[in-house]
Amino acid sequence: MDDSIPIPLTFWQKLGQRFVEGIALFGPAAAIFLTQYLCSRHGLIQAVTETQPPTGYAIETVKSAPEPTPAPTAPTTVDMIAGRPRSVTDQPATLQLTTKPTGATFAVYTGIIADKAPPTSPTPLRSGTSPGTINELGGGNYTIFFHKDGWPDSRTEVELQAGQVLPVAYAFPHGELTITSIPSGAEILLGTVSLGFTPLKVDLPSGQLELTARLKNFPDRKQTLTVSDNSTPTIDFQMHTRRRTVRVKPKPTPSLMNRVGGSLKRLFGGNSTPPPRRER
């Protein structure tokens, strides 16, 4: 440069400048690449050299012994004892008992029993109070005895099939009575058992019965009737006549003059007892 006039660079000077810039840009990356590549290549060569057997020597390999095959075990036999499924003839039967009137006791016996009263022995197969259900019965014939206080004992016979559900509705021999009274509200008694207050409908056992109607301030009324099976009679009690109540009048206290007069009469022989009054 002379007098601040730049001198143009030659071709080689420009090329050298570009070369230096390229080395400054790509040199570090190339150095890292070559370093890692040479190290890995050296380690690879060393590993191959150590594992490769020398020439002229045979390689003896040891064959691993095969694992022993386990001896077959005898199969285990399990006895499956299953219950025999129930056949149709083994299915249990069921009785469903109802009575009219309700609340009767029942006793179930096996077989046909001709007696009107239940036997004293053997004991009944099942017993209870209606309505009731009797399960787990076998097929066959059964006799059922019924009892209710105030009613005649009764019985019935049934035949059950295996697996059957048999409803048994038993009605005691009875009649349905309609009972009224004038005035209403009278208590109706069968013996000492109260049936209710009029007007009412009630089932009563067949036969001759005596009913009593009782109402306060009225005399008791009685009626005797014969009830037949499935009859529906109507009974009416007339309670019109009231009871007569007798009032006793208090006896007045005698005055002083009457007491003195009575004393004089007794003294002189007079009759102090007044004649009896005639009741009307």
Side-chain angles (χ1 to χ4, degrees):
M1 179 178 298
D2 190 9
D3 296 332
S4 300
I5 299 174
I7 300 174
L9 297 178
T10 62
F11 171 77
W12 294 107
Q13 289 176 342
K14 293 180 181 180
L15 181 62
Q17 185 179 0
R18 298 290 185 271
F19 181 74
V20 171
E21 291 175 357
I23 291 175
L25 180 62
F26 297 102
I32 294 173
F33 172 75
L34 293 175
T35 303
Q36 293 181 354
Y37 173 74
L38 291 177
C39 292
S40 60
R41 185 172 181 276
H42 177 72
L44 179 61
I45 294 172
Q46 184 178 359
V48 173
T49 305
E50 290 178 355
T51 56
Q52 186 175 0
T55 305
Y57 293 89
I59 299 176
E60 183 179 359
T61 60
V62 179
K63 185 177 182 181
S64 60
E67 296 182 358
T69 303
T73 57
T76 303
T77 303
V78 179
D79 295 333
M80 300 295 291
I81 303 176
R84 181 174 62 87
R86 286 184 171 183
S87 61
V88 177
T89 58
D90 294 336
Q91 296 294 328
T94 300
L95 277 176
Q96 295 177 344
L97 295 178
T98 57
T99 60
K100 186 176 182 180
T102 60
T105 59
F106 60 83
V108 181
Y109 291 84
T110 305
I112 301 298
I113 300 176
D115 297 336
K116 294 183 179 180
T120 56
S121 62
T123 57
L125 180 64
R126 301 287 178 84
S127 60
T129 303
S130 67
T133 301
I134 307 173
N135 299 313
E136 299 295 331
L137 293 176
N141 295 318
Y142 295 90
T143 302
I144 308 172
F145 291 89
F146 297 96
H147 171 78
K148 185 174 177 62
D149 293 338
W151 297 71
D153 292 343
S154 195
R155 61 183 290 281
T156 187
E157 301 170 2
V158 296
E159 182 179 359
L160 274 177
Q161 304 295 331
Q164 182 183 11
V165 178
L166 180 64
V168 177
Y170 184 82
F172 286 86
H174 70 286
E176 185 177 356
L177 272 71
T178 301
I179 306 175
T180 60
S181 67
I182 300 176
S184 61
E187 183 181 15
I188 306 301
L189 303 173
L190 176 61
T192 59
V193 179
S194 176
L195 302 179
F197 296 86
T198 58
L200 62 88
K201 286 186 178 182
V202 62
D203 291 329
L204 292 179
S206 300
Q208 188 172 3
L209 305 174
E210 184 182 62
L211 299 179
T212 302
R214 182 171 296 169
L215 186 63
K216 186 178 180 180
N217 297 329
F218 288 86
D220 292 349
R221 295 290 185 181
K222 296 181 181 291
Q223 288 196 41
T224 302
L225 67 155
T226 300
V227 179
S228 58
D229 192 14
N230 296 325
S231 62
T232 57
T234 299
I235 307 298
D236 182 56
F237 288 92
Q238 301 292 329
M239 314 290 291
H240 288 302
T241 306
R242 290 183 177 272
R243 294 176 179 175
R244 290 183 178 181
T245 58
V246 179
R247 296 182 179 180
V248 179
K249 295 182 179 181
K251 187 177 181 180
T253 304
S255 63
L256 178 61
M257 295 299 293
N258 290 335
R259 284 184 291 178
V260 171
S263 300
L264 293 176
K265 288 181 181 180
R266 286 194 299 269
L267 180 62
F268 293 104
N271 188 7
S272 61
T273 305
R277 294 182 178 182
R278 181 179 299 175
E279 295 183 358
R280 295 180 181 179

